[in-house]
Amino acid sequence: MSVEVYIPEEKIKSRIKELGEQITKDYNGEEVVIIAVLNGSFVFCSDLIRQIKCPVIVEFVGASSYGEGVESSGNVKITMDLKRDILGKHVLVVEDIVDTGLTLSNLLEVFKSRKPKSIKLASFLFKPARLKHPVPINYLGFEIEDKFVIGYGLDYGGKYRELPYVGVYKG
Ligand code: IMP
Ligand code: MG
C-alpha cells in the first residue's frame, strides 16, 4: 500500500492551535463538556483540548447510523453513551470528519434533546461534495476534496489511525 500526504503534520498542528485559540476566546473561561465521537476523533480531540485554555470535561460517545436509507433524524444508534448529564452545560461535540453528515445530524438532535446550555460542533475535516444532511460546523480544521483519507485518527478497515498526517490511500 502507498499513502500520499494530503495534509502534513505541521499544517495540522498550526491549524489546531488556531482552533484552540478561537474556542478559548469564545467560551471565555466557562466550563465546556467536550464530547469526542469514537473512534476517529480521539487523535484530533486529544490535540485540540491541549490548546483550549478553559476548564474542560472530556466525554466519549460511540455512535453508528442506520444508513443512508434513513432520512429522518433520531435514527442514530448510540453504542456507548456519555457517563454524565449535559443538562445546562456548554457542549462541544468533536468529530473527525463530516462526510454525508448523517451521523452528526442525528447525534446533535439526540444531545439537543438533553437540554444543554449550548451545543457546538468542531470537526477536523469536512468533505462538502458528499454532504446530504447539513450540519453547522462551528470550528472546522480543513475542508477537503472528495477523496478517501486516512491518518490522524481516520481509518481504513481499522488501520492507519496512528499516522501523524492526513493521507490519501492509494491501495
Ligand atoms: P457521515 O457520512 O458524515 O455520517 O460520516 C460517517 C463516518 O464515516 C465518519 O465519522 C468517518 O468515521 C467515516 N468517514 C467518512 N469519510 C471518511 C474518509 O475519507 N476516511 C475515513 N473515514 C471516513
Ligand atoms: Mg467518525
Side-chain angles (χ1 to χ4, degrees):
M1 84 100 184
S2 75
V3 182
E4 183 187 302
V5 177
Y6 188 61
I7 308 173
E9 196 174 350
E10 284 312 312
K11 218 174 150 187
I12 295 173
K13 266 194 191 145
S14 64
R15 183 69 190 126
I16 287 175
K17 196 162 180 290
E18 289 172 358
L19 290 178
E21 282 165 5
Q22 188 62 51
I23 291 167
T24 301
K25 211 168 135 209
D26 292 352
Y27 286 95
N28 193 24
E30 292 204 51
E31 182 182 273
V32 51
V33 179
I34 308 267
I35 300 178
V37 184
L38 295 173
N39 294 332
S41 74
F42 79 104
V43 177
F44 173 48
C45 189
S46 69
D47 282 345
L48 184 64
I49 57 171
R50 283 174 286 178
Q51 299 298 329
I52 299 175
K53 313 290 178 232
C54 298
V56 301
I57 288 174
V58 184
E59 282 285 313
F60 298 92
V61 70
S64 64
S65 292
Y66 289 141
E68 278 306 301
V70 184
E71 288 299 321
S72 59
S73 63
N75 294 298
V76 68
K77 186 176 172 204
I78 299 204
T79 53
M80 194 194 92
D81 207 342
L82 309 178
K83 299 278 188 291
R84 55 176 75 220
D85 203 353
I86 55 170
L87 176 76
K89 304 283 187 186
H90 288 299
V91 166
L92 179 62
V93 178
V94 177
E95 178 60 305
D96 53 357
I97 184 167
V98 173
D99 183 26
T100 66
L102 183 71
T103 311
L104 256 295
S105 61
N106 285 335
L107 213 47
L108 288 174
E109 287 313 308
V110 171
F111 291 146
K112 274 181 197 164
S113 73
R114 298 179 185 181
K115 306 267 185 285
K117 188 172 185 181
S118 70
I119 186 160
K120 286 186 178 180
L121 172 62
S123 185
F124 176 54
L125 301 176
F126 173 46
K127 220 189 261 185
R130 289 173 39 91
L131 189 70
K132 279 197 187 138
H133 308 266
V135 284
I137 303 175
N138 304 93
Y139 305 101
L140 175 65
F142 302 94
E143 191 172 298
I144 64 165
E145 298 162 273
D146 191 8
K147 292 179 189 291
F148 191 83
V149 291
I150 53 167
Y152 201 71
L154 293 129
D155 72 306
Y156 175 64
K159 292 182 179 175
Y160 313 113
R161 295 191 196 275
E162 73 282 10
L163 298 178
Y165 54 85
V166 173
V168 176
Y169 185 74
K170 293 285 178 190

